[in-house]
Amino acid sequence: MTRISVTVDGATYADDVEPRMLLVHFLRERLGKTGTVVGCDTSNCGACTVHLDGRSVKSCNVLAVQADGSEVTTIEGLAHDGELHPMQAAFHECHALQCGYCTPGMIMQSIDLLNENPTPTEEEIRSGLEGNLCRCTGYHNIVRAVQTASGQQTSASATLEETAS
Amino acid sequence: MIPAQFDYLAPSTLEDALAALAEHGDDAKIIAGGQSLLPVLRMRLNAPELVIDLGKIEALRGVRDDGDAIVIGAMTRHIDVLNDPLVKENAFVITKAVEQLADPQVRHRGTFGGALAHADPAGDLGAPCLALDAQFVIAGPGGERTVEAVDFFVDLFATAIEEGEILTEVRIPKRAGWGAHYEKFVRVAHQWPIVAVAAAVKVAHTDAGATISEARVGLTNMGSTPLRARSVEQALIGQPPTDAAVRQAAASAAEGTNPPSDLNGDADYRRHLVTVLTRRAVLAAAGA
Ligand SMILES: Cc1cc2nc3c(=O)[nH]c(=O)nc-3n(C[C@H](O)[C@H](O)[C@H](O)COP(=O)(O)OP(=O)(O)OC[C@H]3O[C@@H](n4cnc5c(N)ncnc54)[C@H](O)[C@@H]3O)c2cc1C
């Protein structure tokens, strides 16, 4: 067992973990933060994306011990006082999901993307999300949601009108 | 999938890491960013007794200017190599390769040294390092030694790093003012290349027009190690950066290669592909 101290969504936790424990299992099984999901389990799909010291990582490909002394933000740490994070609101507004399984990772990566590049082009959004797989939507509304959150697309109804015309 | 049990050490100095390696021999495994090692451990293709994490050794991180070379610390993350102005100015082909390596999340964790030590023949960093004649600084119980790029890549997943040794930094001779491009052919956006070509060229502008005065071309996934396309390099010298001239020079890109055959394409397909990608890479590098 190795003693670690990690700040997750603003609260600091000290715990003894097996060195082989993956960060995603620590979040889900030790802290009960099941908002972060395990998707492919091979580091490809990005469903488990969280922020580690402010940058997006695939939490199935990081050991919990490697996060010792670090700050982790999960999908559960985004909303404040019942108010959705603007990216969550944009995903909701643009209906950027179907089954919803990739959504936590998509949102975390989309936030990282805008942190790096506040006004990305459509192509930059698509390549910025290359590490996140969605098997339902065809990505269309996900891209719209990121454009909306970046202030480059005014609203979901505008999207609908555009598609209809 | 969960790795088999192992013990874990996170030393804060290189000396402590080397001492732990010396004590545990091949029961120990180094972890850098873990982006290649953790999938291997999770699939239980390897089960070390001890994992030694280099993540707390600050001295191995960062890019510095060292006169006629730039030096990239082994633990410098891909994202920090990508954004580094020294790399951009003096070894632009590395910037271009890292830009296309994996996806943002993997680039936030994976390291320059880890990718090179892993020596996947489809890895994106070997060919640019080989093309630029990079030097690899390796520390071991007996001190430090420097290995030239041509001697560093030994075989599939095998390098000159011996048991008990750690790659500490990579020195890259400066080549400011060179144009560069990394042309990567993939079917899935964030994956390893089927074939890729790293090209760096120097274009001289005279009254008679532009000509290529120097050229360096590295090939990814055209053999068990990264390869240098020397006949293409020679054929390019003195040529104008035009489609016709570069096409002719690139025709010999498959010379001396031994590409794999797999689900993505057979060896003959790759031999053809590499000539196409070489032309594209050189033309883009020359700004044509
Ligand atoms: C989804 C996904 C997509 C990817 N796509 C690409 C791609 O397109 N192109 C590409 O090139 N790579 C790709 N990779 C691999 C990526 O580049 C890894 O970051 C890199 O191969 C390993 O770097 P690391 O720091 O994570 O090393 P680790 O995984 O920690 O280590 C890799 C190996 O090197 C050894 N090692 C590490 N550092 C040292 C050192 N300093 N001295 C001695 N030995 C050392 C370790 O013991 C281990 O055997 C991908 C990975 C993933 C998960």
Side-chain angles (χ1 to χ4, degrees):
Chain A
M1 291 289 179
T2 300
R3 187 90 181 151
I4 60 168
S5 167
V6 192
T7 302
V8 182
D9 297 335
T12 301
Y13 302 86
D15 203 350
D16 292 315
V17 297
E18 275 193 310
R20 64 172 170 168
M21 180 175 250
L22 303 173
L23 179 59
V24 70
H25 292 139
F26 176 73
L27 296 171
R28 290 175 58 83
E29 292 163 18
R30 290 296 178 89
L31 307 186
K33 291 192 174 272
T34 51
T36 303
V37 295
V38 179
C40 67
D41 210 6
T42 59
S43 332
N44 276 290
C45 80
C48 65
T49 299
V50 301
H51 294 179
L52 180 61
D53 292 328
R55 299 314 309 263
S56 61
V57 302
K58 294 178 177 177
S59 63
C60 79
N61 216 20
V62 178
L63 297 169
V65 288
Q66 289 179 296
D68 180 34
S70 292
E71 207 161 299
V72 176
T73 305
T74 77
I75 188 78
E76 297 189 32
L78 294 182
H80 284 298
D81 304 323
E83 181 120 354
L84 292 181
H85 182 283
M87 188 64 74
Q88 289 175 305
F91 267 64
H92 183 231
E93 193 185 338
C94 298
H95 192 61
L97 64 142
Q98 285 177 28
C99 89
Y101 203 81
C102 72
T103 309
M106 279 290 177
I107 290 178
M108 297 311 289
Q109 181 53 30
S110 298
I111 293 172
D112 185 274
L113 198 169
L114 290 196
N115 285 344
E116 278 299 287
N117 179 1
T119 52
T121 62
E122 174 175 344
E123 201 185 327
E124 286 167 342
I125 294 171
R126 289 184 183 274
S127 70
L129 296 176
E130 68 185 327
N132 293 71
L133 303 183
C134 171
R135 287 296 178 244
C136 306
T137 63
Y139 302 97
H140 187 79
N141 284 358
I142 294 173
V143 173
R144 288 300 166 103
V146 179
Q147 287 171 324
T148 299
S150 70
Q152 300 185 88
Q153 177 86 38
T154 39
S155 76
S157 48
T159 307
L160 284 179
E161 279 160 28
E162 204 177 285
T163 319
S165 62
Chain B
M1 291 179 290
I2 299 171
Q5 274 182 336
F6 52 77
D7 290 329
Y8 174 81
L9 269 183
S12 51
T13 67
L14 178 64
E15 292 66 38
D16 288 349
L18 287 169
L21 259 188
E23 189 185 334
H24 295 273
D26 67 358
D27 294 333
K29 195 87 186 129
I30 295 286
I31 191 168
Q35 298 305 291
S36 293
L37 184 65
L38 286 175
V40 166
L41 298 189
R42 275 159 34 202
M43 288 185 279
R44 308 239 174 158
L45 299 173
N46 196 332
E49 282 170 23
L50 174 69
V51 169
I52 302 169
D53 187 352
L54 303 183
K56 294 209 153 81
I57 308 179
E58 281 307 317
L60 296 181
R61 229 182 265 289
V63 181
R64 64 172 208 274
D65 192 324
D66 192 26
D68 54 4
I70 58 166
V71 180
I72 304 180
M75 288 298 293
T76 312
R77 297 199 192 283
H78 298 315
I79 182 69
D80 296 321
V81 174
L82 179 60
N83 292 331
D84 192 276
L86 278 174
V87 177
K88 205 164 284 176
E89 189 185 337
N90 299 295
F92 190 43
V93 70
I94 291 188
T95 307
K96 299 301 278 180
V98 177
E99 201 171 60
Q100 296 177 61
L101 183 154
D103 55 45
Q105 294 97 317
V106 172
R107 290 196 292 269
H108 292 154
R109 290 297 296 169
T111 67
F112 194 72
L116 289 162
H118 189 57
D120 186 330
D124 286 308
L125 299 182
C129 284
L130 182 69
L132 296 183
D133 284 326
Q135 296 179 317
F136 293 75
V137 182
I138 300 171
E144 205 176 84
R145 62 196 180 98
T146 299
V147 176
E148 300 292 333
V150 278
D151 301 318
F152 180 78
F153 300 102
V154 175
D155 204 346
L156 294 169
F157 301 101
T159 69
I161 305 171
E162 305 275 354
E163 194 182 306
E165 290 187 321
I166 292 174
L167 175 65
T168 57
E169 57 191 30
V170 181
R171 295 174 56 86
I172 301 166
K174 284 185 183 171
R175 287 195 179 78
W178 286 53
H181 189 74
Y182 189 69
E183 185 73 20
K184 175 169 170 172
F185 195 78
V186 280
R187 296 201 320 161
V188 179
H190 69 291
Q191 290 289 1
W192 290 261
I194 296 169
V195 172
V197 176
V201 299
K202 199 167 180 184
V203 179
H205 296 275
T206 62
D207 291 343
T211 49
I212 294 172
S213 58
E214 290 182 81
R216 291 169 168 269
V217 179
L219 311 178
T220 305
N221 215 13
M222 285 298 291
S224 56
T225 65
L227 297 170
R228 188 90 177 258
R230 295 207 183 255
S231 64
V232 176
E233 294 177 357
Q234 275 153 18
L236 283 170
I237 291 172
Q239 296 297 323
T242 59
D243 186 79
V246 172
R247 183 183 296 266
Q248 198 173 5
S252 64
E255 220 170 75
T257 64
N258 185 18
S261 287
D262 57 29
L263 284 177
N264 286 316
D266 59 23
D268 280 342
Y269 173 73
R270 284 188 162 89
R271 278 192 204 99
H272 169 71
L273 186 57
V274 77
T275 63
V276 176
L277 301 182
T278 299
R279 171 170 50 86
R280 290 182 191 162
V282 170
L283 284 172

